[in-house]
C-alpha cells in the first residue's frame, strides 16, 4: 500500500524551514527519501532504518518513528536548489522493493 | 565513476508493439530495479533483478518481463503495448549488502509514448 505524504505542495521563501511527512499503514523496515527535479531522475537523499541507523545528506535531516510507521524530512534554511518534488519510499519487512508516495512539490522562491 | 545509464532516452511506439529498454548499473552495483513513473506520480515498482534472476515483482502483468546479464546490466521488455503504458521508466541500481541498508541510485529514465 502506498505511503501517504503531506503536504502535497509547499511554497517557501529562501531561508525558511519545511517539514515533509510520510506515513504508512504497514510495518516498515526502512524509509528512503528522494528529490526529483522536473525532467530529471530522483536523487537519493536519506535512508532511515528500523533501529535508528541513518545514512544521507549532511544538510538534510529526517526522523523515523517505528511505532507510528511515520517519517519526517526536515529542510532547514531552504535554498533555491531545494526546489523539486520529494518522494518517500518505504520498504516493508520481507521485501527489498520500495513503495513510493505520490510526492510533495516544494518550491523555494527568492 | 559512471552512474546509472539508460537507453534510449525517448521512444514512441504504436499500440500492440513490443519494446525493450536497457539499463547499465552504477559501477560496483549488482542489483537492478525497474520502476514506472506516470506523470505527476511517484515511481511504481515493476521488478528487481539480482544474480540474473527476478527476485521480487510488483503488481504488473506478465506483459512486463526482464532480464539481467552477467555484467549486471538489465533489460525491461513490454509486449502488446497499451496506451496506459506511456510513462517514464526508471532503472535503479544498488549493491546487495545482505541487509536492508542500501541506497538506490536512479538512471535518467526512458520516456515511452504509446500512440
Amino acid at each position: 500500500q502506498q505511503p501517504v505524504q503531506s503536504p502535497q505542495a509547499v511554497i517557501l521563501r529562501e531561508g525558511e524551514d519545511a517539514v515533509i511527512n510520510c506515513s504508512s499503514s504497514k510495518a516498515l523496515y526502512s524509509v528512503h527519501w528522494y528529490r526529483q527535479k522536473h525532467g530529471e531522475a530522483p536523487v537519493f537523499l536519506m535512508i532511515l532504518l528500523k533501529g535508528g541507523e541513518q545514512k544521507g545528506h549532511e544538510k538534510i535531516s529526517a526522523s523515523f518513528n517505528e511505532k507510528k510507521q511515520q517519517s519526517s524530512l526536515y529542510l532547514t534554511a531552504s535554498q533555491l536548489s531545494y526546489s523539486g518534488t520529494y518522494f518517500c519510499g518505504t520498504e516493508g519487512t520481507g521485501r527489498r522493493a520500495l513503495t513510493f508516495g505520490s510526492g510533495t512539490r516544494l518550491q523555494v522562491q527568492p | 565513476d559512471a552512474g546509472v545509464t539508460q537507453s534510449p532516452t525517448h521512444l514512441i511506439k504504436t499500440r500492440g508493439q513490443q519494446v525493450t529498454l536497457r539499463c547499465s548499473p552504477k559501477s560496483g552495483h549488482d542489483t537492478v530495479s525497474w520502476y514506472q513513473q506516470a506523470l505527476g506520480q511517484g515511481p511504481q515498482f515493476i521488478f528487481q533483478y539480482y544474480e540474473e534472476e527476478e527476485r521480487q515483482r510488483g503488481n504488473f502483468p506478465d506483459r512486463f518481463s526482464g532480464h539481467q546479464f552477467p555484467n549486471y546490466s538489465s533489460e525491461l521488455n513490454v509486449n502488446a503495448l497499451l496506451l496506459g503504458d506511456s510513462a517514464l521508466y526508471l532503472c535503479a541500481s544498488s549493491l546487495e549488502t545482505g541487509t536492508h541498508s542500501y541506497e538506490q541510485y536512479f538512471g535518467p529514465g526512458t520516456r515511452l509514448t504509446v500512440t
Side-chain angles (χ1 to χ4, degrees):
Chain A
Q1 191 168 355
Q2 188 179 34
V4 177
Q5 288 186 233
S6 63
Q8 289 185 318
V10 60
I11 299 175
L12 300 173
R13 295 286 184 187
E14 270 187 295
E16 292 182 338
D17 301 339
V19 180
I20 300 172
N21 301 302
C22 175
S23 179
S24 175
S25 60
K26 292 188 173 183
L28 299 178
Y29 199 98
S30 67
V31 180
H32 302 225
W33 286 95
Y34 289 82
R35 177 173 60 219
Q36 186 176 30
K37 294 182 181 284
H38 183 68
E40 299 180 9
V43 173
F44 171 80
L45 296 176
M46 174 78 70
I47 177 174
L48 302 105
L49 300 168
K50 186 177 178 180
E53 182 182 354
Q54 294 187 20
K55 290 183 179 180
H57 202 290
E58 290 182 356
K59 295 186 178 180
I60 294 175
S61 62
S63 64
F64 179 22
N65 185 323
E66 296 173 28
K67 289 184 179 179
K68 293 185 177 181
Q69 309 306 325
Q70 292 177 347
S71 178
S72 295
L73 185 71
Y74 305 97
L75 304 169
T76 57
S78 60
Q79 306 170 15
L80 294 176
S81 61
Y82 285 10
S83 293
T85 300
Y86 289 77
F87 293 101
C88 70
T90 57
E91 181 190 16
T93 55
R95 283 182 61 84
R96 295 291 197 176
L98 295 181
T99 302
F100 284 91
S102 55
T104 295
R105 288 189 302 279
L106 179 78
Q107 183 181 355
V108 180
Q109 296 178 341
Chain B
D1 181 19
V4 180
T5 60
Q6 292 186 244
S7 63
T9 53
H10 295 86
L11 206 51
I12 299 175
K13 289 287 189 177
T14 304
R15 274 180 302 176
Q17 286 188 317
Q18 178 263 345
V19 68
T20 297
L21 310 181
R22 295 176 176 82
C23 171
S24 291
K26 179 179 168 63
S27 178
H29 284 185
D30 57 7
T31 303
V32 173
S33 301
W34 286 92
Y35 293 84
Q36 180 194 66
Q37 187 176 27
L39 204 59
Q41 298 297 316
Q44 284 195 47
F45 175 73
I46 302 175
F47 41 54
Q48 184 181 84
Y49 276 85
Y50 172 65
E51 293 188 336
E52 302 180 47
E53 290 190 358
E54 182 182 294
R55 177 157 70 173
Q56 286 193 346
R57 188 178 184 92
N59 294 325
F60 279 80
D62 292 344
R63 298 187 295 110
F64 290 77
S65 63
H67 188 77
Q68 185 179 36
F69 299 94
N71 67 352
Y72 308 120
S73 66
S74 177
E75 288 181 349
L76 163 65
N77 301 293
V78 187
N79 295 323
L81 285 168
L82 304 174
L83 294 178
D85 294 333
S86 296
L88 180 67
Y89 288 84
L90 294 164
C91 166
S93 74
S94 56
L95 175 64
E96 174 58 51
T97 61
T99 72
H100 289 264
S101 175
Y102 64 96
E103 302 163 24
Q104 285 195 20
Y105 290 86
F106 282 86
T110 294
R111 172 73 61 187
L112 174 65
T113 302
V114 182
T115 62

